[in-house]
Amino acid sequence: MWTSGRMSNAKNLLGLGVSLYFLGLMDLTTTVLSGSARSLTEGQEDNLSDKLHQRMKRSWVWNQFFVLEEYTGTDPLYVGKLHSDMDRGDGSIKYILSGEGAGIVFTIDDTTGDIHAIQRLDREERSQYTLRAQALDRRTGRPMEPESEFIIKIQDINDNEPKFLDGPYVASVPEMSPVGTSVIQVTATDADDPTYGNSARVVYSILQGQPYFSVDSRTGLIRTALMNMDREAKEYYEVIIQAKDMGGQLGGLAGTTTVNITLSDVNDNPPRFPQKHYQMSVLESAPISSTVGRVVAKDLDEGINAEMKYSLVDGDGLDVFDINTDPNYQVGIITVRKPLSFESKKSYTLKVEGANPHLEMRFLNLGPFRDTTTVHISVEDVDEPPVFEPSFYFVEVPEDVEIGTTIQIISARDPDVTNNSIRYSIDRSSDPGRFFYVDITSGALMTARPLDREDVSWHNITVLAVELNNPSQVGSVSVTVKVLDVNDNAPEFARFYEAFVCENAKAGQLIQTVSAIDRDDPQEGQHFYYSLAPEAANNPNFTLRDNQDNTAWILTRRSGFRQHEQNTFYLPILISDNGRPVLSSTGTLTVHVCSCDDDGMVMSCNAEAYALPVSLSRGALIAILACIFVLLVLVLLILSMRRQRKQPYIIDEEENIHENIVRYDDEGGGEEDTEAFDIAAMWNPREAQLVVKNRQDMLPEIESLSRYVPQACVMDNNVHNYVLAKLYEADMDLWAPPFDSLQTYMFEGNGSVAESLSSLQSVTTDSDQSYDYLTDWGPRFKKLAEMYGATDSSGALW
């Protein structure tokens, strides 16, 4: 049988267990047969049946141990002892411990069965361990008892202070709240065992925040403790709450937290104006809705409780000024409601009220939540521009009014006390056609050009008035001129009319309906009268019927029209209007005689001589046009190929040495004395003398002397020989510029390495000049170096 116990209380516990057993209050936890019982002798087996009816003596096996946490001693902590009835104390039994924490947290003496804790135990980390014990024969290793399971529970000690897991706290409560108003509830937790002693019993108290607040010692609910707490006096409070375990007794552990409490605002302060009188001024020229000044009523509250509404409650300027509330700054803005005039009234007095729109009934006893102030406004005089009376003019003028007729007198006055003289003019941007003129002193508006309603029916002009002593003050007025209609335009056909009559037409057949238009616009509306012109009044072919609706019908008077006799008729028609005076005009209707089928459809007539046959469809026409287009493209392609074959070979521009030679009359004259030379003369020397171009800024050139050069030299097409011929001309006449416009320089090269480059007097020099230094001047002088730096086999210099 397994037994267990503590070192100091094993015997007491055993005695207690036996007593409880006989009292019937406790059951055995485990009953197992020992190894010796399982190995009974045969004689004992014979007596076993006789003893079954008797109660057998059983030993106690305790399946639960208790040990305190946080043991701080140096020796292993004794937990308890395991013992088997098979153990005779001779060391033949070996105890083995397994399960949770075996060998790591707990160890067992395999001979005595004593259990010790070898590590520090913490109930808050783990409250119990489940272990198993086994008794083995030390010699054979055979189990002597069945494996038994037991529990080691960790007993709590007060080693954890209360903690506020949600702290620090933030709360608010309305100001002026009654005593006992709930603010916030704080909660502290203790990690100790709440079922064992008072280690986890927490009591709350307030360390800081009195006498303003209190805390319930059991629930941690914070309440107000002082009446009439004013936010405007003190808004923020820092309250420190302590939680202590052990029921608050001496030796208990404690934890604290901070609660930041803010008094929220209520409307308990009425608004007040800091000054009872305001003095303001405004120019009389201030526009409507412009700001005059600002007033403000102070309110110690905030947010919605400090909102203000301003109004004008009295004064002589209620209809001239207005006041609005700025919602951002809670100020009253006084604005101009009507135009001001220094000459009419120089000052105004207003009574302004500022009030809270949101009130709390429980604070009405603190006084009226409104206040008033007085505002004096002075109107300052300014030099105002002239004012027109009236402010708008509308004039109606017939379009046949004579030039210079006065159509309206424009009047303006100086509103200032000085009453300066006025000068009038027209803003020409409003009258670009200059149809009107205004007298500078009297303001008489007159016509300056003929008016034509059909051209411009409305004129919107602007008349300006300027003070004589201060031209910067300009007033303006709009004048609308309506040009009235006069019957000065005769009616005419609405369009060109061309009618067709069939050869088989019958008498009285309608061939055309005509209508007319008139640029005039009479008040009673347009009405036209149609008739044949006097010269066609007795026309035997056609007649006219006036429909009295501004249209007329043209009817045939006879039948039997023939194309070969007369294919075109011209019918003059007289059109008259209903104006005063009556105006009329004559329009001509062209009538073509055509051959028609039995249904009256036109088949052919002279007017359609070039029309396509009726049987020719649109698809056929498109096919013909496409063929013509293809033929044109082929012709253009052939001409282009021929032109490319005939085009001569063009010499590369860089290899062509025949370049334009620019002629200079004077040295240093610049672009004014230059003229491009026609290069064509370089290609045909024989024609050079026939194509001499005379300069306008110099005397004509001396006639070319190339005819005096031997014919062999002239006939040679070599450009080099031609240049030599021109050089010969220059050598013979020192004052005539050469034909090829090579500029003569009389004094250039003085002090220059190249000396003179002129060909003048070169014939008198016997020495040969060397131009080899040109090769050292870089790529820009490469061509010049090739021309003058070497000689060919014939001895000519290039």
Side-chain angles (χ1 to χ4, degrees), residues 164 169-173 178-187 204-210 212-225 229 237-242 257-261:
F164 293 90
Y169 296 86
V170 177
S172 65
V173 63
V179 175
T181 302
S182 298
V183 180
I184 191 175
Q185 185 175 12
V186 297
T187 302
Y204 300 94
S205 62
I206 183 168
L207 300 182
Q208 177 180 313
Q210 293 175 334
Y212 306 102
F213 300 96
S214 63
V215 63
D216 189 292
S217 62
R218 183 176 59 86
T219 62
L221 180 62
I222 301 176
R223 294 185 174 91
T224 57
M229 287 193 294
Y237 295 86
E238 185 178 74
V239 178
I240 298 178
I241 302 297
Q242 182 190 65
T257 187
T258 301
V259 182
N260 295 310
I261 301 176

Side-chain angles (χ1 to χ4, degrees), residues 19-57:
S19 300
L20 293 176
Y21 171 78
F22 284 105
L23 291 174
L25 300 177
M26 180 179 291
D27 294 333
L28 291 174
T29 304
T30 306
T31 303
V32 294
L33 294 175
S34 64
S36 58
R38 290 193 297 268
S39 58
L40 296 175
T41 63
E42 293 180 359
Q44 291 173 334
E45 290 178 357
D46 295 336
N47 298 326
L48 181 61
S49 59
D50 298 333
K51 299 179 180 180
L52 289 176
H53 65 278
Q54 298 179 1
R55 183 179 297 273
M56 298 181 62
K57 180 182 180 181

Side-chain angles (χ1 to χ4, degrees), residues 700-712:
E701 295 183 356
I702 299 176
E703 186 178 359
S704 175
L705 300 178
S706 60
R707 61 182 178 274
Y708 297 107
V709 180
Q711 192 65 20

Side-chain angles (χ1 to χ4, degrees), residues 122-252:
D122 189 354
R123 189 202 66 84
E124 286 71 37
E125 292 182 3
R126 188 161 189 166
S127 60
Q128 67 180 21
Y129 296 84
T130 301
L131 297 159
R132 293 181 299 278
Q134 179 74 57
L136 303 177
D137 188 298
R138 188 179 296 274
R139 181 174 58 84
T140 63
R142 182 170 58 86
M144 301 300 293
E145 294 276 358
E147 187 178 55
S148 178
E149 184 176 87
F150 63 96
I151 296 174
I152 299 178
K153 286 191 174 182
I154 312 301
Q155 285 186 330
D156 184 53
I157 64 172
N158 189 19
D159 60 340
N160 290 278
E161 73 277 3
K163 294 182 179 179
F164 293 90
L165 301 181
D166 297 329
Y169 296 86
V170 177
S172 65
V173 63
E175 63 174 332
M176 312 299 289
S177 295
V179 175
T181 302
S182 298
V183 180
I184 191 175
Q185 185 175 12
V186 297
T187 302
T189 59
D190 196 318
D192 293 326
D193 189 358
T195 64
Y196 183 77
N198 294 328
S199 298
R201 182 186 173 191
V202 178
V203 174
Y204 300 94
S205 62
I206 183 168
L207 300 182
Q208 177 180 313
Q210 293 175 334
Y212 306 102
F213 300 96
S214 63
V215 63
D216 189 292
S217 62
R218 183 176 59 86
T219 62
L221 180 62
I222 301 176
R223 294 185 174 91
T224 57
L226 189 66
M227 63 183 303
N228 298 332
M229 287 193 294
D230 192 359
R231 183 197 66 85
E232 288 73 31
K234 184 176 182 180
E235 183 175 3
Y236 300 101
Y237 295 86
E238 185 178 74
V239 178
I240 298 178
I241 302 297
Q242 182 190 65
K244 191 174 183 180
D245 60 12
M246 298 298 291
Q249 298 177 4
L250 187 63

Side-chain angles (χ1 to χ4, degrees), residues 80-152:
K81 184 181 184 64
L82 294 178
H83 183 72
S84 175
D85 290 345
M86 304 298 296
D87 189 356
R88 303 303 181 203
D90 56 359
S92 61
I93 300 299
K94 180 181 181 180
Y95 297 97
I96 297 176
L97 188 66
S98 63
E100 297 175 347
I104 300 174
V105 180
F106 302 99
T107 61
I108 187 171
D109 189 326
D110 61 357
T111 302
T112 63
D114 294 335
I115 301 174
H116 293 82
I118 59 176
Q119 286 191 7
R120 174 178 168 271
L121 301 176
D122 189 354
R123 189 202 66 84
E124 286 71 37
E125 292 182 3
R126 188 161 189 166
S127 60
Q128 67 180 21
Y129 296 84
T130 301
L131 297 159
R132 293 181 299 278
Q134 179 74 57
L136 303 177
D137 188 298
R138 188 179 296 274
R139 181 174 58 84
T140 63
R142 182 170 58 86
M144 301 300 293
E145 294 276 358
E147 187 178 55
S148 178
E149 184 176 87
F150 63 96
I151 296 174
I152 299 178

Side-chain angles (χ1 to χ4, degrees), residues 659 774-787:
E659 300 177 354
L774 294 176
T775 59
D776 300 329
W777 287 10
R780 294 188 178 182
F781 295 87
K782 180 179 180 182
K783 183 64 70 176
L784 191 62
E786 291 175 358
M787 295 175 62

